[in-house]
Amino acid sequence: MDLEYAVLKVPSEHMVKNFRATKKSVDKEVEFALSVVQELAGNDSTADVSQLETKIKSSISKLQSLKSKLDELHSKEDSTVDSIQMRIKHLQQQAEYASAKASALSSAFSTPMTTNTNDDDPVQVSMHESDVVSNQMGTNAMLWSRVRLNRILVDYLMREGMFESAQSLARCTHVEQLVDLDVFLSSRRVIEALQRGECAEALKWCSENRRRLAKIGSSLEFRLRIQEFVEL
């Protein structure tokens, strides 16, 4: 159950993260644009036209930059939604197989115990029917289990630092949308930067995940700042 919970947890957290990033960007740029508009509305006709023109151009530039950023965030959001839908479908298939199998077995064993002119044993007939149903459902369940195994293997390889092997396996088994390659690749960039003695990438990651770090009481960012100061 914990393994299946993690399948939806990471993309859901990405959705929340993207929403907060979008809101922060919109609030910042819109606030700046409104301040410029209010300033322009409050100026009289004696105001320096060149300064007003500069502020207007600056505001337009910021809004255009905001639009590009929102387009990028929207693209990431669409990708995350597709991933969530794919993962929900994957988990639903397992639940449907288990439910159908249980229903079929229940129906087979609930066959009335009536007298049979052919001297067939009703219990044996029921068991035969249940075996047929089990074989039918077993094929689909086995395919689902194979996908699940590939997903777990990719996750294990990424955690062990075998990124190329994990990416190749995910690509060959078509489970890219069921695993979190981007999360591990992001961690890889941070680790490689730290191994080179560079703290910028790690500090950027801390800034993006400051809320979660504060929630668990982590002092990672503080220690990185000390390390950065020492390296000066």
Side-chain angles (χ1 to χ4, degrees):
M1 181 60 70
D2 290 340
L3 289 173
E4 314 310 333
Y5 170 72
V7 173
L8 293 177
K9 180 180 179 181
V10 174
S12 299
E13 289 179 347
H14 279 185
M15 286 286 290
V16 174
K17 183 179 178 181
N18 286 337
F19 172 77
R20 287 174 176 165
T22 302
K23 185 177 184 301
K24 183 178 180 180
S25 298
V26 170
D27 290 346
K28 181 180 178 181
E29 302 302 342
V30 169
E31 182 180 0
F32 175 80
L34 288 176
S35 67
V36 171
V37 171
Q38 292 174 353
E39 185 177 352
L40 293 175
N43 285 327
D44 53 29
S45 57
T46 60
D48 189 342
V49 176
S50 62
Q51 290 183 355
L52 297 179
E53 184 178 356
T54 300
K55 290 182 179 180
I56 292 174
K57 288 182 178 180
S58 176
S59 180
I60 293 174
S61 176
K62 285 182 176 293
L63 291 176
Q64 289 175 338
S65 175
L66 173 62
K67 182 180 181 302
S68 299
K69 186 180 295 185
L70 290 178
D71 288 340
E72 180 182 352
L73 291 172
H74 182 67
S75 177
K76 290 181 179 179
E77 190 175 84
D78 286 343
S79 178
T80 303
V81 170
D82 291 341
S83 177
I84 291 176
Q85 290 176 339
M86 182 70 71
R87 296 179 187 208
I88 290 175
K89 183 179 178 180
H90 170 67
L91 297 177
Q92 282 179 334
Q93 287 174 342
Q94 192 273 341
E96 289 170 0
Y97 298 150
S99 177
K101 183 176 180 180
S103 177
L105 289 174
S106 176
S107 176
F109 281 105
S110 63
T111 302
M113 301 287 289
T114 58
T115 303
N116 195 308
T117 57
N118 296 326
D119 296 329
D120 291 332
D121 187 349
V123 175
Q124 291 181 353
V125 173
S126 297
M127 291 297 294
H128 174 69
E129 292 176 351
S130 67
D131 288 341
V132 173
V133 172
S134 297
N135 290 335
Q136 292 174 344
M137 298 305 300
T139 301
N140 291 333
M142 184 173 63
L143 293 175
W144 184 90
S145 296
R146 186 174 299 172
V147 173
R148 181 175 185 263
L149 176 60
N150 290 331
R151 174 171 59 80
I152 294 173
L153 286 174
V154 171
D155 185 88
Y156 172 78
L157 290 172
M158 294 296 286
R159 292 180 186 277
E160 292 298 314
M162 293 177 276
F163 301 103
E164 287 75 15
S165 298
Q167 289 176 293
S168 297
L169 178 59
R171 183 170 56 255
C172 293
T173 56
H174 309 290
V175 296
E176 295 98 326
Q177 289 191 309
L178 301 178
V179 293
D180 304 301
L181 294 175
D182 55 333
V183 174
F184 289 102
L185 292 175
S186 176
S187 300
R188 179 187 186 182
R189 289 193 295 270
V190 173
I191 293 172
E192 290 178 346
L194 289 174
Q195 289 174 341
R196 296 192 303 267
E198 302 171 1
C199 299
E201 195 72 30
L203 287 169
K204 179 183 177 182
W205 184 88
C206 289
S207 177
E208 294 173 351
N209 298 274
R210 185 169 292 145
R211 184 187 296 269
R212 295 183 62 189
L213 291 173
K215 187 175 181 180
I216 63 176
S218 174
S219 60
L220 176 60
E221 185 174 6
F222 175 72
R223 286 182 284 139
L224 286 171
R225 292 293 182 187
I226 293 177
Q227 180 63 30
E228 187 179 42
F229 177 77
V230 171
E231 294 292 336
L232 292 177

